[in-house]
Each structure stands twice: as C-alpha cells, then as structure tokens.
Amino acid sequence: MNKDTLERLHETVHVPHGDPQLVLYTKLVVGLLWLVHLPLGFLYGAPLPFYLLLGGMMLLDGVNLFLSRRSASRARELGAALAFLAGSALLFQKAYVGYFSWFFLLIFSFSCTFALGLVDGTFINLLSFLWVMACLRGGLIPDPAALYGESFVRRFPFLYICILGVAYIIMFSIQRYWVDKAKRHLLLQQRIDAEKGKLSEMSLKVITAMYSALSSKIPEIDLHCQQTAELTQEMARRMGLDEAACRDGYYAGLLHEVGTVGLPDDVVLQRNITEEQYQLYKTYVERGCRIIQELQIVDRVAETVRYHRENYDGTGYLEGLQGEAIPLLSRILAVADFTDRHRRRGETDAQIAAALRECAGHAFDPQCVEVMCGMLTERT
C-alpha cells in the first residue's frame, strides 16, 4: 500500500463529522427503537426495572437532541453514546423482552457508526462487542442458550460483526464524500480568491490613477493615503489580527480618501467651511465605500472605509455607531488617519501622542490609541 493510499485512508477515517442531519435522524431512530420496546415489555411481562430503563433512555435521547440543536459537543455525544450502550447492554444481559432483547444492542451499534463517525463509533462498538462476548461466552449470562437458544449463542457474534461491517462500509463511503466535498470547496475557494485578487489588483491600479489625478487638486493626498495604509497595517499586526485582516487594513488606508473624487474644490481644500458644505463633505465616506464595492474589492475594505469616521462615543458619522459596534479595522484606520494628518502639519510625535490620548474614549478607541502611541514612542 503506497503512501498516497495511506494518507487517503487516514484523512477519510479521521475527518470530522460533516452532516448534522445524519446525526439528528440517527438519534431519532434510536429514540423510536426504545419506544417500540414498550409494547414488547407488556407482551413479555417485563419487570419494573425495564420500564425505568426505558423511560431513562427516552429522556436521555430527548435531552441530547435538545442540547445538540443548540450546540455541538464531542464529549457530550460520547457520554450519551456510553449511556445508551449501558442501557442496551443491560437490556441484552437481562433479556427483559425475551429473544428481542438482542435487537436493540445490534441496531444501536449499527446506528452509533453513523452518529459518531468511524473513529468514535469504533470505540463504542468495540465495547459493545466485548460485552456481547462476555455475556454469551464469558459467563455474564448464566445460561445464554436458555434465554436465546443454542444456535443464536453460536452465531450472533459473527452476525454482529457482519452487520457492523456493512455499517462501516457505508460510513466510510459517506466520510470519503465529505473529504472530497471539502477538497472541491477548497479548490473552488482558492480559484475565487485568485480571481478576486486579480480584480482587486486591477481595481487598485484604477484607484492609483484616480489618486494621481486627485493629487493635482489635493496636494500629496496620494502620499497621505500611502502612509495611512502602512500605519493601519502595522497597528493591525500589533493588535494580533491575521494577515488577511492586516492586508485589508492596508487597502482600506490606501483607499480611505477615494470618496473625495467628485467633491467640489471649495469643500475639499478649505478648512473653514459652512455647515452645508460640511454635510456634503461627510458624504465622502459613503461615496468611497460605494466606489470600492463597485470595483469589487474585498467587502471588509469597503466596510472599514465606510465607518472610519465614526467616533468611539457614538458622536461620529454616518450612522453614529459606538464602541465595539464600530468595526475594529475602522477604529484602527481612524487613529492612523489622524496620526498622519497631524504629522503633515509639522507636529512632533510627542504632540500627536498627547492629542491622541486626549481624544481616547471620545473620538478613538483607547486600545488603538495606546498601540499607536507605542509606535510613536519607538520612533523618538
């Protein structure tokens, strides 16, 4: 058996369970089987412990179904399987419903393979088989032939293994399908990401051309955006964001002023503007977001640009978001934008750090402020 075949077997056996519906239906079948034993108990005159066992198993199945719909837990599933194994093993040993007592243990073992998958299911089924052998050949049942018949005692272990073998063949095929499906999805996602990367690269070239034209109207805006992008990316890294988020932060910094394209010169270039002009100016973040979306750049970049003028205390624009409701990259970009603007006014790093701290909790996220102040301190 070559290495590729072994790897294929290993990934198939160990793939995480990929079908919650299969688990749900399996649990429903197990619960129904316990319910079916109720009339059998009446037919065979089962004692009170049988009905207590029956009620306990049905309650356990119901609770497990309820909890599973809310959240998945491997430990809980294994615990429930062990409890069901104990109940079905006791039913088999005591033969509460006569010859049919073996039926539940066999079907439970078969179903367990589909509910838990190959790895966890094998652990439960091994315990189940050992119990069968201990009951029929090891003396846990004093006279198994009297309960189940001599022919059954001889043949049941082999029947048990054959039926479980069918379950494992089916489950192996199902888990192979999960693996192949995941690989196809990964390959498709890689192709989509590659195409998005090409689109983003083309879009960034368009944006760069826009800034080149815009810089003739707004001096050094392209340099400001470049510096803001680098600051945003560095802050994101220091705050523990992954590389994809750091990259998106860089793009957002690069594009955060693109919405000023099309605004009148008297709105963009003057510091003292009227209230009416200010309301028009504020639309640049929404314009920028729309341009980025139309150019099919990553959605998080557009979102970051849209909300980077929100204030931490909720007094910003466009939507008045507050605190952590503002996307983290937007909070980072706001601090980076402020820092580079004040550098371009000739302020020292110490002056900028003091201004940032003064605005912490009002305009800016205090955590982002401290990260930037740390970066400024390192420069001095």
Side-chain angles (χ1 to χ4, degrees):
M1 189 176 292
N2 58 41
K3 184 178 179 181
D4 290 341
T5 303
L6 288 174
E7 288 180 355
R8 184 178 174 87
L9 285 171
H10 182 270
E11 66 183 3
T12 301
V13 170
H14 291 275
V15 64
H17 206 294
D19 193 345
Q21 291 295 110
L22 179 60
V23 177
L24 173 64
Y25 294 146
T26 303
K27 291 176 182 177
L28 289 173
V29 167
V30 171
L32 181 61
L33 284 173
W34 277 106
L35 184 61
V36 167
H37 277 73
L38 182 60
L40 287 174
F42 290 126
L43 179 64
Y44 281 89
L48 178 62
F50 167 75
Y51 295 103
L52 294 176
L53 177 65
L54 182 65
M57 291 298 101
M58 291 180 65
L59 178 62
L60 174 63
D61 194 47
V63 171
N64 191 30
L65 277 170
F66 174 76
L67 294 176
S68 298
R69 296 298 294 269
R70 302 182 67 178
S71 63
S73 169
R74 181 186 180 193
R76 185 177 65 240
E77 295 297 340
L78 280 172
L82 286 170
F84 276 113
L85 174 59
S88 57
L90 182 61
L91 178 64
F92 178 74
Q93 182 188 10
K94 298 295 184 180
Y96 283 131
V97 287
Y99 184 77
F100 291 98
S101 300
W102 65 270
F103 181 72
F104 188 86
L105 181 62
L106 179 60
I107 299 301
F108 165 73
S109 299
F110 187 89
S111 302
C112 186
T113 309
F114 298 97
L116 298 181
L118 292 179
V119 174
D120 293 339
T122 299
F123 169 69
I124 300 296
N125 288 332
L126 178 60
L127 293 178
S128 180
F129 180 71
L130 291 174
W131 184 262
V132 168
M133 297 303 294
C135 287
L136 299 182
R137 307 287 173 82
L140 285 180
I141 299 178
D143 189 2
L147 288 176
Y148 291 110
E150 185 65 34
S151 177
F152 175 86
V153 172
R154 291 197 310 269
R155 297 176 183 178
F156 182 66
F158 302 102
L159 174 66
Y160 185 91
I161 292 173
C162 289
I163 291 179
L164 275 188
V166 172
Y168 275 83
I169 291 171
I170 296 172
M171 194 59 196
F172 184 87
S173 300
I174 292 173
Q175 294 194 185
R176 185 68 246 166
Y177 167 75
W178 293 342
V179 170
D180 292 340
K181 181 180 178 182
K183 286 184 175 180
R184 289 195 301 270
H185 177 76
L186 178 62
L187 181 60
L188 178 61
Q189 190 60 49
Q190 288 173 342
R191 290 176 179 174
I192 292 173
D193 290 343
E195 291 302 318
K196 283 185 175 180
K198 292 178 182 178
L199 286 171
S200 295
E201 185 177 348
M202 292 173 60
S203 298
L204 286 172
K205 290 179 180 178
V206 173
I207 295 295
T208 302
M210 286 183 180
Y211 277 129
S212 297
L214 193 59
S215 62
S216 62
K217 180 169 70 172
I218 306 175
E220 296 188 343
I221 190 172
D222 51 344
L223 295 177
H224 163 64
C225 291
Q226 180 66 40
Q227 291 295 325
T228 300
E230 292 172 0
L231 289 172
T232 302
Q233 185 178 48
E234 180 61 22
M235 284 182 67
R237 283 203 181 109
R238 294 188 181 216
M239 294 181 73
L241 276 66
D242 58 38
E243 280 305 310
C246 293
R247 181 198 62 221
D248 291 344
Y250 179 85
Y251 285 159
L254 203 62
L255 306 176
H256 75 285
E257 295 282 5
V258 71
T260 56
V261 173
L263 288 179
D265 290 358
D266 57 350
V267 172
V268 176
L269 299 177
Q270 296 183 37
R271 288 192 178 182
N272 298 319
I273 57 178
T274 66
E275 179 62 27
E276 183 179 354
Q277 289 174 320
Y278 180 62
Q279 294 302 320
L280 177 60
Y281 172 77
K282 288 195 299 184
T283 64
Y284 89 92
V285 290
E286 188 171 13
R287 289 168 181 259
C289 177
R290 190 163 55 247
I291 290 171
I292 295 168
Q293 288 174 329
E294 289 174 354
L295 289 171
Q296 299 185 37
I297 297 175
V298 181
D299 291 341
R300 184 163 52 179
V301 175
E303 176 192 70
T304 301
V305 171
R306 178 178 177 81
Y307 297 114
H308 82 280
R309 283 294 189 175
E310 300 284 359
N311 286 341
Y312 195 72
D313 63 359
T315 60
Y317 58 87
L318 294 164
E319 298 179 15
L321 299 184
Q322 184 176 4
E324 293 188 4
I326 306 168
L328 178 56
L329 279 178
S330 297
R331 287 178 265 152
I332 292 173
L333 175 57
V335 172
D337 183 31
F338 178 92
T339 300
D340 190 71
R341 286 180 184 278
H342 283 257
R343 273 184 185 166
R344 294 184 180 283
R345 295 175 187 173
E347 297 180 18
T348 65
D349 288 345
Q351 289 174 322
I352 296 172
L356 283 170
R357 288 197 170 100
E358 187 176 339
C359 295
H362 163 53
F364 305 128
D365 180 344
Q367 183 183 4
C368 296
V369 167
E370 287 308 310
V371 172
M372 177 57 74
C373 288
M375 291 166 57
L376 293 172
T377 302
E378 292 175 7
R379 284 170 47 90
T380 57

